[in-house]
Amino acid sequence: MTDRLKQTWQDTQFRQPSQKNIDEIIEGKRETALQNLARRYNRFSLISGIAIIGSISFLNQKLIPADNRLLLSISFAIYFFTASMMDLWLSNGISKIDCLRMSVSEVAGKAAFYRKRHFQFMAVLIPMAITLITILARQFTDNVIFLACMGIGALTGLTFGLRQLREFMADYRSLTR
Amino acid sequence: MQYLSQYIAQPATGLWAIFRFAARIVCGAERGRQLALFRSILAEHDNMISRICLGYARVNEDFEDLRQDVYANIWTGLSSFRGDARLKTWLYRVTLNTCVSAVRRRTKAIQKIRFDEFTDIIDEDSERLRLLADLHETISALPHIDKAIVLMWLDEMSYDDISEVMGLKRNTIAVRLHRAKEKLKKHYNQ
């Protein structure tokens, strides 16, 4: 039975990739999934980095009581800085996975390690985000319109964030079982 | 000063032109070598590479993506590959590494593998296709490391070669392969 399985497997023939795909590879236009992932983390890191600048705008926000502006501004800046550094760390780590030179167990181990870290970082950032949004919402308890807008923004963000999380979870395979 | 600079500038320009011409020849020759090697890999090893990608793919889209990613990595690696490792071992390493580190974007979860969707397989023998589909489903259920070992075992690679590619000790390979074979045996006895 084993011999038959081996023979069947070895005898399997495939159509070669199309010339168009080969040309794209030779011209360097093809990006691997791993490179794409590293680039995605890099992009999120940059967006978070830019958001730090946005959090400074709380200092001038007249709707927020003056006593709380500095604290809110610093809190949001810390949050976005943390998110940016986490994504940058993940991007650097993923970029260091060398499929050409490392052994298979090493690559599988590193990929699983960064996957685990990704979820651990989410476990830190999501509660932080919820806490900060709640604190921000408490500043406007007498402003229904602002609260409604915040609610819509939070729901939109949550929907988008959950979709991204689902895509990330679907993206990664379970590498060590 | 202008008279003097002419005596410096002209030979310097000439030397620079010669250097650029020589660099172009060397780079062109190097790229030619890389292209020739890439095409020979495509001709001689495509089936081996495709089999491994099939082992890690659950749908045809994954299979095609994996295969292209593998070839992209091979192309990148060929510029620095100097034959310090055997080509076949190196190809197995690059292919398996690409597959185990693959990140797939899916719009919905794959409930069941539909083997007939793998349209790049050339075979008209329905009995062999059925056996292949069954084998593929069994292999797909294995953990990634065991899957890599089984795929190399199916290609009749030696334990030493498997150990080198996997970066695991020979004994570890033997134990994991034995467990995977038991699972295969159990499946086929049922």
PDB file of all heavy atoms in Angstrom, chain A residues 2 9-10 13-16 30 33 40 99 102 104-105 167 171 175, chain B residues 42 47 51 67 69 93 97 100 104-105 119-120 122 144 153-154 165-166:
ATOM      1  N   THR A   2       1.920   1.231   0.832  1.00  0.00           N
ATOM      2  CA  THR A   2       2.828   2.386   0.936  1.00  0.00           C
ATOM      3  C   THR A   2       3.474   2.670  -0.410  1.00  0.00           C
ATOM      4  O   THR A   2       3.539   3.829  -0.851  1.00  0.00           O
ATOM      5  CB  THR A   2       3.930   2.100   1.981  1.00  0.00           C
ATOM      6  OG1 THR A   2       3.307   1.644   3.160  1.00  0.00           O
ATOM      7  CG2 THR A   2       4.730   3.334   2.264  1.00  0.00           C
ATOM      8  N   TRP A   9       1.747   9.311  -5.830  1.00  0.00           N
ATOM      9  CA  TRP A   9       2.151  10.686  -5.511  1.00  0.00           C
ATOM     10  C   TRP A   9       3.232  11.175  -6.460  1.00  0.00           C
ATOM     11  O   TRP A   9       3.136  12.277  -7.020  1.00  0.00           O
ATOM     12  CB  TRP A   9       2.648  10.735  -4.052  1.00  0.00           C
ATOM     13  CG  TRP A   9       2.944  12.118  -3.566  1.00  0.00           C
ATOM     14  CD1 TRP A   9       4.169  12.649  -3.297  1.00  0.00           C
ATOM     15  CD2 TRP A   9       1.994  13.161  -3.269  1.00  0.00           C
ATOM     16  NE1 TRP A   9       4.056  13.955  -2.870  1.00  0.00           N
ATOM     17  CE2 TRP A   9       2.725  14.278  -2.840  1.00  0.00           C
ATOM     18  CE3 TRP A   9       0.610  13.254  -3.327  1.00  0.00           C
ATOM     19  CZ2 TRP A   9       2.119  15.489  -2.470  1.00  0.00           C
ATOM     20  CZ3 TRP A   9       0.003  14.456  -2.960  1.00  0.00           C
ATOM     21  CH2 TRP A   9       0.750  15.555  -2.545  1.00  0.00           C
ATOM     22  N   GLN A  10       4.246  10.338  -6.685  1.00  0.00           N
ATOM     23  CA  GLN A  10       5.381  10.762  -7.520  1.00  0.00           C
ATOM     24  C   GLN A  10       5.000  10.890  -8.990  1.00  0.00           C
ATOM     25  O   GLN A  10       5.628  11.637  -9.736  1.00  0.00           O
ATOM     26  CB  GLN A  10       6.534   9.765  -7.376  1.00  0.00           C
ATOM     27  CG  GLN A  10       7.230   9.860  -6.037  1.00  0.00           C
ATOM     28  CD  GLN A  10       8.194   8.719  -5.821  1.00  0.00           C
ATOM     29  OE1 GLN A  10       8.785   8.199  -6.770  1.00  0.00           O
ATOM     30  NE2 GLN A  10       8.362   8.313  -4.582  1.00  0.00           N
ATOM     31  N   GLN A  13       1.397  14.691 -12.314  1.00  0.00           N
ATOM     32  CA  GLN A  13       1.953  15.689 -13.229  1.00  0.00           C
ATOM     33  C   GLN A  13       1.102  16.958 -13.158  1.00  0.00           C
ATOM     34  O   GLN A  13      -0.108  16.885 -12.979  1.00  0.00           O
ATOM     35  CB  GLN A  13       1.909  15.164 -14.670  1.00  0.00           C
ATOM     36  CG  GLN A  13       2.632  13.850 -14.877  1.00  0.00           C
ATOM     37  CD  GLN A  13       4.109  14.053 -15.022  1.00  0.00           C
ATOM     38  OE1 GLN A  13       4.560  14.907 -15.774  1.00  0.00           O
ATOM     39  NE2 GLN A  13       4.880  13.269 -14.297  1.00  0.00           N
ATOM     40  N   PHE A  14       1.770  18.089 -13.341  1.00  0.00           N
ATOM     41  CA  PHE A  14       1.061  19.373 -13.264  1.00  0.00           C
ATOM     42  C   PHE A  14       1.346  20.212 -14.503  1.00  0.00           C
ATOM     43  O   PHE A  14       2.413  20.089 -15.110  1.00  0.00           O
ATOM     44  CB  PHE A  14       1.537  20.162 -12.032  1.00  0.00           C
ATOM     45  CG  PHE A  14       1.213  19.513 -10.719  1.00  0.00           C
ATOM     46  CD1 PHE A  14       2.025  18.531 -10.194  1.00  0.00           C
ATOM     47  CD2 PHE A  14       0.083  19.905 -10.007  1.00  0.00           C
ATOM     48  CE1 PHE A  14       1.725  17.924  -8.979  1.00  0.00           C
ATOM     49  CE2 PHE A  14      -0.217  19.319  -8.790  1.00  0.00           C
ATOM     50  CZ  PHE A  14       0.604  18.322  -8.285  1.00  0.00           C
ATOM     51  N   ARG A  15       0.401  21.077 -14.808  1.00  0.00           N
ATOM     52  CA  ARG A  15       0.647  22.083 -15.853  1.00  0.00           C
ATOM     53  C   ARG A  15       1.611  23.107 -15.267  1.00  0.00           C
ATOM     54  O   ARG A  15       1.469  23.486 -14.105  1.00  0.00           O
ATOM     55  CB  ARG A  15      -0.664  22.810 -16.221  1.00  0.00           C
ATOM     56  CG  ARG A  15      -1.541  22.003 -17.115  1.00  0.00           C
ATOM     57  CD  ARG A  15      -2.739  22.786 -17.655  1.00  0.00           C
ATOM     58  NE  ARG A  15      -3.658  21.830 -18.246  1.00  0.00           N
ATOM     59  CZ  ARG A  15      -4.561  21.132 -17.556  1.00  0.00           C
ATOM     60  NH1 ARG A  15      -4.732  21.336 -16.269  1.00  0.00           N
ATOM     61  NH2 ARG A  15      -5.321  20.231 -18.164  1.00  0.00           N
ATOM     62  N   GLN A  16       2.533  23.554 -16.089  1.00  0.00           N
ATOM     63  CA  GLN A  16       3.498  24.547 -15.598  1.00  0.00           C
ATOM     64  C   GLN A  16       2.793  25.898 -15.411  1.00  0.00           C
ATOM     65  O   GLN A  16       1.779  26.153 -16.042  1.00  0.00           O
ATOM     66  CB  GLN A  16       4.637  24.682 -16.613  1.00  0.00           C
ATOM     67  CG  GLN A  16       5.597  23.513 -16.531  1.00  0.00           C
ATOM     68  CD  GLN A  16       6.962  23.855 -17.074  1.00  0.00           C
ATOM     69  OE1 GLN A  16       7.175  24.930 -17.640  1.00  0.00           O
ATOM     70  NE2 GLN A  16       7.898  22.959 -16.898  1.00  0.00           N
ATOM     71  N   ARG A  30       6.376  40.159  -8.397  1.00  0.00           N
ATOM     72  CA  ARG A  30       5.606  39.285  -7.517  1.00  0.00           C
ATOM     73  C   ARG A  30       6.094  39.463  -6.079  1.00  0.00           C
ATOM     74  O   ARG A  30       7.277  39.303  -5.789  1.00  0.00           O
ATOM     75  CB  ARG A  30       5.797  37.816  -7.947  1.00  0.00           C
ATOM     76  CG  ARG A  30       5.213  36.802  -6.991  1.00  0.00           C
ATOM     77  CD  ARG A  30       3.744  36.627  -7.176  1.00  0.00           C
ATOM     78  NE  ARG A  30       3.160  35.846  -6.093  1.00  0.00           N
ATOM     79  CZ  ARG A  30       1.886  35.510  -6.026  1.00  0.00           C
ATOM     80  NH1 ARG A  30       1.064  35.868  -6.981  1.00  0.00           N
ATOM     81  NH2 ARG A  30       1.419  34.802  -5.019  1.00  0.00           N
ATOM     82  N   ALA A  33       3.550  36.246   0.079  1.00  0.00           N
ATOM     83  CA  ALA A  33       2.571  36.518   1.127  1.00  0.00           C
ATOM     84  C   ALA A  33       3.270  37.046   2.387  1.00  0.00           C
ATOM     85  O   ALA A  33       2.753  37.936   3.080  1.00  0.00           O
ATOM     86  CB  ALA A  33       1.795  35.239   1.443  1.00  0.00           C
ATOM     87  N   ARG A  40       2.231  45.072   5.452  1.00  0.00           N
ATOM     88  CA  ARG A  40       0.966  45.447   6.091  1.00  0.00           C
ATOM     89  C   ARG A  40       1.212  45.937   7.515  1.00  0.00           C
ATOM     90  O   ARG A  40       0.672  46.955   7.951  1.00  0.00           O
ATOM     91  CB  ARG A  40       0.017  44.243   6.095  1.00  0.00           C
ATOM     92  CG  ARG A  40      -1.443  44.644   5.868  1.00  0.00           C
ATOM     93  CD  ARG A  40      -2.419  43.580   6.142  1.00  0.00           C
ATOM     94  NE  ARG A  40      -2.161  42.311   5.493  1.00  0.00           N
ATOM     95  CZ  ARG A  40      -2.835  41.197   5.796  1.00  0.00           C
ATOM     96  NH1 ARG A  40      -3.776  41.230   6.695  1.00  0.00           N
ATOM     97  NH2 ARG A  40      -2.567  40.065   5.194  1.00  0.00           N
ATOM     98  N   CYS A  99      13.389  32.358   4.170  1.00  0.00           N
ATOM     99  CA  CYS A  99      12.955  31.060   3.616  1.00  0.00           C
ATOM    100  C   CYS A  99      14.051  30.372   2.815  1.00  0.00           C
ATOM    101  O   CYS A  99      13.946  29.187   2.510  1.00  0.00           O
ATOM    102  CB  CYS A  99      11.742  31.265   2.708  1.00  0.00           C
ATOM    103  SG  CYS A  99      10.249  31.708   3.608  1.00  0.00           S
ATOM    104  N   MET A 102      17.036  29.355   6.296  1.00  0.00           N
ATOM    105  CA  MET A 102      16.657  28.711   7.568  1.00  0.00           C
ATOM    106  C   MET A 102      16.093  27.314   7.317  1.00  0.00           C
ATOM    107  O   MET A 102      15.589  27.024   6.226  1.00  0.00           O
ATOM    108  CB  MET A 102      15.588  29.562   8.268  1.00  0.00           C
ATOM    109  CG  MET A 102      16.129  30.843   8.852  1.00  0.00           C
ATOM    110  SD  MET A 102      14.773  31.780   9.582  1.00  0.00           S
ATOM    111  CE  MET A 102      15.661  33.150  10.255  1.00  0.00           C
ATOM    112  N   VAL A 104      13.290  24.260   7.982  1.00  0.00           N
ATOM    113  CA  VAL A 104      11.820  24.320   7.985  1.00  0.00           C
ATOM    114  C   VAL A 104      11.288  24.465   9.413  1.00  0.00           C
ATOM    115  O   VAL A 104      10.354  25.235   9.665  1.00  0.00           O
ATOM    116  CB  VAL A 104      11.220  23.068   7.307  1.00  0.00           C
ATOM    117  CG1 VAL A 104       9.703  23.075   7.387  1.00  0.00           C
ATOM    118  CG2 VAL A 104      11.656  22.989   5.859  1.00  0.00           C
ATOM    119  N   SER A 105      11.885  23.739  10.362  1.00  0.00           N
ATOM    120  CA  SER A 105      11.398  23.819  11.746  1.00  0.00           C
ATOM    121  C   SER A 105      11.627  25.217  12.315  1.00  0.00           C
ATOM    122  O   SER A 105      10.794  25.740  13.067  1.00  0.00           O
ATOM    123  CB  SER A 105      12.071  22.770  12.622  1.00  0.00           C
ATOM    124  OG  SER A 105      13.460  22.970  12.616  1.00  0.00           O
ATOM    125  N   GLU A 167      -9.702  38.458   9.486  1.00  0.00           N
ATOM    126  CA  GLU A 167      -8.834  38.214   8.337  1.00  0.00           C
ATOM    127  C   GLU A 167      -7.454  37.775   8.795  1.00  0.00           C
ATOM    128  O   GLU A 167      -6.869  36.869   8.219  1.00  0.00           O
ATOM    129  CB  GLU A 167      -8.717  39.465   7.474  1.00  0.00           C
ATOM    130  CG  GLU A 167      -9.915  39.694   6.566  1.00  0.00           C
ATOM    131  CD  GLU A 167      -9.782  40.941   5.724  1.00  0.00           C
ATOM    132  OE1 GLU A 167      -8.683  41.532   5.692  1.00  0.00           O
ATOM    133  OE2 GLU A 167     -10.764  41.332   5.103  1.00  0.00           O
ATOM    134  N   ASP A 171      -5.828  34.346   8.054  1.00  0.00           N
ATOM    135  CA  ASP A 171      -4.566  34.365   7.324  1.00  0.00           C
ATOM    136  C   ASP A 171      -3.558  33.379   7.882  1.00  0.00           C
ATOM    137  O   ASP A 171      -2.948  32.618   7.168  1.00  0.00           O
ATOM    138  CB  ASP A 171      -3.919  35.765   7.377  1.00  0.00           C
ATOM    139  CG  ASP A 171      -4.518  36.711   6.364  1.00  0.00           C
ATOM    140  OD1 ASP A 171      -5.277  36.233   5.511  1.00  0.00           O
ATOM    141  OD2 ASP A 171      -4.242  37.908   6.436  1.00  0.00           O
ATOM    142  N   LEU A 175       0.466  26.647  13.119  1.00  0.00           N
ATOM    143  CA  LEU A 175       1.752  26.110  12.682  1.00  0.00           C
ATOM    144  C   LEU A 175       2.350  25.052  13.575  1.00  0.00           C
ATOM    145  O   LEU A 175       3.144  24.250  13.132  1.00  0.00           O
ATOM    146  CB  LEU A 175       2.743  27.266  12.513  1.00  0.00           C
ATOM    147  CG  LEU A 175       2.407  28.158  11.350  1.00  0.00           C
ATOM    148  CD1 LEU A 175       3.197  29.429  11.413  1.00  0.00           C
ATOM    149  CD2 LEU A 175       2.681  27.445  10.051  1.00  0.00           C
TER     150      LEU A 175
ATOM    151  N   LEU B  42      12.485  25.083 -13.504  1.00  0.00           N
ATOM    152  CA  LEU B  42      11.078  25.029 -13.921  1.00  0.00           C
ATOM    153  C   LEU B  42      10.806  23.756 -14.724  1.00  0.00           C
ATOM    154  O   LEU B  42       9.800  23.076 -14.549  1.00  0.00           O
ATOM    155  CB  LEU B  42      10.781  26.273 -14.779  1.00  0.00           C
ATOM    156  CG  LEU B  42       9.354  26.729 -14.957  1.00  0.00           C
ATOM    157  CD1 LEU B  42       8.709  27.018 -13.626  1.00  0.00           C
ATOM    158  CD2 LEU B  42       9.311  27.983 -15.813  1.00  0.00           C
ATOM    159  N   ASN B  47       7.222  19.618 -11.097  1.00  0.00           N
ATOM    160  CA  ASN B  47       6.287  18.635 -10.537  1.00  0.00           C
ATOM    161  C   ASN B  47       6.535  18.424  -9.043  1.00  0.00           C
ATOM    162  O   ASN B  47       5.589  18.335  -8.249  1.00  0.00           O
ATOM    163  CB  ASN B  47       6.388  17.299 -11.286  1.00  0.00           C
ATOM    164  CG  ASN B  47       5.661  17.359 -12.624  1.00  0.00           C
ATOM    165  OD1 ASN B  47       4.661  18.059 -12.767  1.00  0.00           O
ATOM    166  ND2 ASN B  47       6.154  16.635 -13.592  1.00  0.00           N
ATOM    167  N   ARG B  51       3.844  19.371  -6.209  1.00  0.00           N
ATOM    168  CA  ARG B  51       3.318  18.353  -5.294  1.00  0.00           C
ATOM    169  C   ARG B  51       3.334  18.880  -3.857  1.00  0.00           C
ATOM    170  O   ARG B  51       2.378  18.711  -3.107  1.00  0.00           O
ATOM    171  CB  ARG B  51       4.147  17.064  -5.373  1.00  0.00           C
ATOM    172  CG  ARG B  51       3.852  16.230  -6.611  1.00  0.00           C
ATOM    173  CD  ARG B  51       4.374  14.819  -6.453  1.00  0.00           C
ATOM    174  NE  ARG B  51       5.803  14.737  -6.283  1.00  0.00           N
ATOM    175  CZ  ARG B  51       6.687  14.617  -7.272  1.00  0.00           C
ATOM    176  NH1 ARG B  51       6.264  14.573  -8.535  1.00  0.00           N
ATOM    177  NH2 ARG B  51       7.975  14.514  -7.027  1.00  0.00           N
ATOM    178  N   ARG B  67       2.521  28.273  -5.235  1.00  0.00           N
ATOM    179  CA  ARG B  67       3.490  27.946  -6.279  1.00  0.00           C
ATOM    180  C   ARG B  67       4.201  29.214  -6.769  1.00  0.00           C
ATOM    181  O   ARG B  67       5.416  29.225  -6.951  1.00  0.00           O
ATOM    182  CB  ARG B  67       2.794  27.243  -7.438  1.00  0.00           C
ATOM    183  CG  ARG B  67       3.734  26.435  -8.300  1.00  0.00           C
ATOM    184  CD  ARG B  67       3.069  25.379  -9.104  1.00  0.00           C
ATOM    185  NE  ARG B  67       2.132  25.873 -10.075  1.00  0.00           N
ATOM    186  CZ  ARG B  67       1.774  25.208 -11.160  1.00  0.00           C
ATOM    187  NH1 ARG B  67       2.310  24.032 -11.427  1.00  0.00           N
ATOM    188  NH2 ARG B  67       0.869  25.692 -11.989  1.00  0.00           N
ATOM    189  N   ASP B  69       4.585  32.014  -5.088  1.00  0.00           N
ATOM    190  CA  ASP B  69       5.449  32.496  -3.998  1.00  0.00           C
ATOM    191  C   ASP B  69       6.746  31.694  -3.953  1.00  0.00           C
ATOM    192  O   ASP B  69       7.823  32.253  -3.736  1.00  0.00           O
ATOM    193  CB  ASP B  69       4.729  32.377  -2.644  1.00  0.00           C
ATOM    194  CG  ASP B  69       3.749  33.513  -2.413  1.00  0.00           C
ATOM    195  OD1 ASP B  69       3.623  34.377  -3.303  1.00  0.00           O
ATOM    196  OD2 ASP B  69       3.113  33.535  -1.341  1.00  0.00           O
ATOM    197  N   ARG B  93      13.870  22.881   0.723  1.00  0.00           N
ATOM    198  CA  ARG B  93      13.877  23.810   1.856  1.00  0.00           C
ATOM    199  C   ARG B  93      13.076  25.074   1.508  1.00  0.00           C
ATOM    200  O   ARG B  93      12.219  25.503   2.263  1.00  0.00           O
ATOM    201  CB  ARG B  93      15.302  24.188   2.243  1.00  0.00           C
ATOM    202  CG  ARG B  93      15.338  25.165   3.426  1.00  0.00           C
ATOM    203  CD  ARG B  93      16.725  25.588   3.824  1.00  0.00           C
ATOM    204  NE  ARG B  93      17.526  24.448   4.181  1.00  0.00           N
ATOM    205  CZ  ARG B  93      18.777  24.259   3.794  1.00  0.00           C
ATOM    206  NH1 ARG B  93      19.377  25.134   3.034  1.00  0.00           N
ATOM    207  NH2 ARG B  93      19.436  23.190   4.158  1.00  0.00           N
ATOM    208  N   ASN B  97       9.563  25.940   3.283  1.00  0.00           N
ATOM    209  CA  ASN B  97       9.550  27.172   4.084  1.00  0.00           C
ATOM    210  C   ASN B  97       8.482  28.134   3.603  1.00  0.00           C
ATOM    211  O   ASN B  97       7.797  28.780   4.405  1.00  0.00           O
ATOM    212  CB  ASN B  97      10.926  27.852   4.048  1.00  0.00           C
ATOM    213  CG  ASN B  97      11.908  27.233   5.010  1.00  0.00           C
ATOM    214  OD1 ASN B  97      11.504  26.526   5.943  1.00  0.00           O
ATOM    215  ND2 ASN B  97      13.183  27.479   4.802  1.00  0.00           N
ATOM    216  N   VAL B 100       5.046  26.612   4.782  1.00  0.00           N
ATOM    217  CA  VAL B 100       4.721  26.649   6.219  1.00  0.00           C
ATOM    218  C   VAL B 100       4.563  28.077   6.722  1.00  0.00           C
ATOM    219  O   VAL B 100       3.900  28.299   7.733  1.00  0.00           O
ATOM    220  CB  VAL B 100       5.742  25.900   7.117  1.00  0.00           C
ATOM    221  CG1 VAL B 100       5.855  24.442   6.752  1.00  0.00           C
ATOM    222  CG2 VAL B 100       7.082  26.567   7.150  1.00  0.00           C
ATOM    223  N   ARG B 104      -2.562  33.174   4.163  1.00  0.00           N
ATOM    224  CA  ARG B 104      -3.597  33.174   3.142  1.00  0.00           C
ATOM    225  C   ARG B 104      -4.769  34.042   3.575  1.00  0.00           C
ATOM    226  O   ARG B 104      -5.233  33.923   4.707  1.00  0.00           O
ATOM    227  CB  ARG B 104      -4.117  31.747   2.909  1.00  0.00           C
ATOM    228  CG  ARG B 104      -3.035  30.765   2.544  1.00  0.00           C
ATOM    229  CD  ARG B 104      -2.976  30.574   1.041  1.00  0.00           C
ATOM    230  NE  ARG B 104      -2.343  31.654   0.347  1.00  0.00           N
ATOM    231  CZ  ARG B 104      -1.029  31.790   0.214  1.00  0.00           C
ATOM    232  NH1 ARG B 104      -0.228  30.926   0.746  1.00  0.00           N
ATOM    233  NH2 ARG B 104      -0.537  32.790  -0.449  1.00  0.00           N
ATOM    234  N   ARG B 105      -5.223  34.865   2.691  1.00  0.00           N
ATOM    235  CA  ARG B 105      -6.405  35.683   2.980  1.00  0.00           C
ATOM    236  C   ARG B 105      -7.617  34.922   2.456  1.00  0.00           C
ATOM    237  O   ARG B 105      -7.669  34.557   1.300  1.00  0.00           O
ATOM    238  CB  ARG B 105      -6.307  37.028   2.269  1.00  0.00           C
ATOM    239  CG  ARG B 105      -5.173  37.905   2.759  1.00  0.00           C
ATOM    240  CD  ARG B 105      -5.200  39.224   2.037  1.00  0.00           C
ATOM    241  NE  ARG B 105      -6.332  40.022   2.454  1.00  0.00           N
ATOM    242  CZ  ARG B 105      -6.281  40.929   3.427  1.00  0.00           C
ATOM    243  NH1 ARG B 105      -5.175  41.115   4.085  1.00  0.00           N
ATOM    244  NH2 ARG B 105      -7.329  41.641   3.761  1.00  0.00           N
ATOM    245  N   THR B 119      -7.252  22.307 -10.919  1.00  0.00           N
ATOM    246  CA  THR B 119      -7.325  22.110 -12.367  1.00  0.00           C
ATOM    247  C   THR B 119      -5.952  21.956 -13.034  1.00  0.00           C
ATOM    248  O   THR B 119      -5.872  21.608 -14.203  1.00  0.00           O
ATOM    249  CB  THR B 119      -8.051  23.295 -13.027  1.00  0.00           C
ATOM    250  OG1 THR B 119      -7.452  24.515 -12.535  1.00  0.00           O
ATOM    251  CG2 THR B 119      -9.528  23.311 -12.678  1.00  0.00           C
ATOM    252  N   ASP B 120      -4.873  22.215 -12.263  1.00  0.00           N
ATOM    253  CA  ASP B 120      -3.547  22.119 -12.876  1.00  0.00           C
ATOM    254  C   ASP B 120      -2.984  20.696 -12.876  1.00  0.00           C
ATOM    255  O   ASP B 120      -1.905  20.459 -13.398  1.00  0.00           O
ATOM    256  CB  ASP B 120      -2.557  23.058 -12.166  1.00  0.00           C
ATOM    257  CG  ASP B 120      -2.759  24.503 -12.599  1.00  0.00           C
ATOM    258  OD1 ASP B 120      -3.164  24.711 -13.762  1.00  0.00           O
ATOM    259  OD2 ASP B 120      -2.513  25.406 -11.782  1.00  0.00           O
ATOM    260  N   ILE B 122      -2.575  17.114 -14.210  1.00  0.00           N
ATOM    261  CA  ILE B 122      -2.803  16.454 -15.506  1.00  0.00           C
ATOM    262  C   ILE B 122      -2.932  14.960 -15.248  1.00  0.00           C
ATOM    263  O   ILE B 122      -1.944  14.288 -14.962  1.00  0.00           O
ATOM    264  CB  ILE B 122      -1.626  16.692 -16.484  1.00  0.00           C
ATOM    265  CG1 ILE B 122      -1.312  18.179 -16.608  1.00  0.00           C
ATOM    266  CG2 ILE B 122      -1.928  16.096 -17.847  1.00  0.00           C
ATOM    267  CD1 ILE B 122      -0.001  18.462 -17.304  1.00  0.00           C
ATOM    268  N   HIS B 144       1.725  20.878  10.379  1.00  0.00           N
ATOM    269  CA  HIS B 144       2.609  21.358   9.308  1.00  0.00           C
ATOM    270  C   HIS B 144       3.971  20.660   9.272  1.00  0.00           C
ATOM    271  O   HIS B 144       4.488  20.360   8.185  1.00  0.00           O
ATOM    272  CB  HIS B 144       2.825  22.864   9.447  1.00  0.00           C
ATOM    273  CG  HIS B 144       1.686  23.652   8.882  1.00  0.00           C
ATOM    274  ND1 HIS B 144       0.479  23.084   8.562  1.00  0.00           N
ATOM    275  CD2 HIS B 144       1.568  24.940   8.557  1.00  0.00           C
ATOM    276  CE1 HIS B 144      -0.333  24.001   8.090  1.00  0.00           C
ATOM    277  NE2 HIS B 144       0.306  25.143   8.063  1.00  0.00           N
ATOM    278  N   TRP B 153       9.085  12.176   2.520  1.00  0.00           N
ATOM    279  CA  TRP B 153       9.129  10.720   2.561  1.00  0.00           C
ATOM    280  C   TRP B 153       8.439  10.141   1.322  1.00  0.00           C
ATOM    281  O   TRP B 153       8.929   9.170   0.727  1.00  0.00           O
ATOM    282  CB  TRP B 153       8.456  10.224   3.844  1.00  0.00           C
ATOM    283  CG  TRP B 153       8.203   8.744   3.873  1.00  0.00           C
ATOM    284  CD1 TRP B 153       9.118   7.748   4.064  1.00  0.00           C
ATOM    285  CD2 TRP B 153       6.936   8.097   3.704  1.00  0.00           C
ATOM    286  NE1 TRP B 153       8.503   6.522   4.016  1.00  0.00           N
ATOM    287  CE2 TRP B 153       7.151   6.715   3.805  1.00  0.00           C
ATOM    288  CE3 TRP B 153       5.630   8.556   3.489  1.00  0.00           C
ATOM    289  CZ2 TRP B 153       6.118   5.779   3.700  1.00  0.00           C
ATOM    290  CZ3 TRP B 153       4.612   7.634   3.385  1.00  0.00           C
ATOM    291  CH2 TRP B 153       4.869   6.264   3.484  1.00  0.00           C
ATOM    292  N   LEU B 154       7.315  10.732   0.927  1.00  0.00           N
ATOM    293  CA  LEU B 154       6.603  10.273  -0.279  1.00  0.00           C
ATOM    294  C   LEU B 154       7.474  10.436  -1.527  1.00  0.00           C
ATOM    295  O   LEU B 154       7.373   9.662  -2.472  1.00  0.00           O
ATOM    296  CB  LEU B 154       5.293  11.051  -0.475  1.00  0.00           C
ATOM    297  CG  LEU B 154       4.131  10.655   0.429  1.00  0.00           C
ATOM    298  CD1 LEU B 154       2.997  11.655   0.328  1.00  0.00           C
ATOM    299  CD2 LEU B 154       3.609   9.258   0.087  1.00  0.00           C
ATOM    300  N   VAL B 165      16.985  19.243   5.834  1.00  0.00           N
ATOM    301  CA  VAL B 165      16.009  20.258   5.399  1.00  0.00           C
ATOM    302  C   VAL B 165      15.170  20.750   6.583  1.00  0.00           C
ATOM    303  O   VAL B 165      14.915  21.940   6.732  1.00  0.00           O
ATOM    304  CB  VAL B 165      15.086  19.678   4.296  1.00  0.00           C
ATOM    305  CG1 VAL B 165      13.916  20.596   4.003  1.00  0.00           C
ATOM    306  CG2 VAL B 165      15.875  19.416   3.020  1.00  0.00           C
ATOM    307  N   MET B 166      14.767  19.804   7.431  1.00  0.00           N
ATOM    308  CA  MET B 166      13.878  20.162   8.540  1.00  0.00           C
ATOM    309  C   MET B 166      14.624  20.841   9.675  1.00  0.00           C
ATOM    310  O   MET B 166      14.017  21.556  10.477  1.00  0.00           O
ATOM    311  CB  MET B 166      13.170  18.918   9.090  1.00  0.00           C
ATOM    312  CG  MET B 166      12.222  18.252   8.128  1.00  0.00           C
ATOM    313  SD  MET B 166      10.880  19.331   7.592  1.00  0.00           S
ATOM    314  CE  MET B 166      10.068  19.692   9.127  1.00  0.00           C
TER     315      MET B 166
END
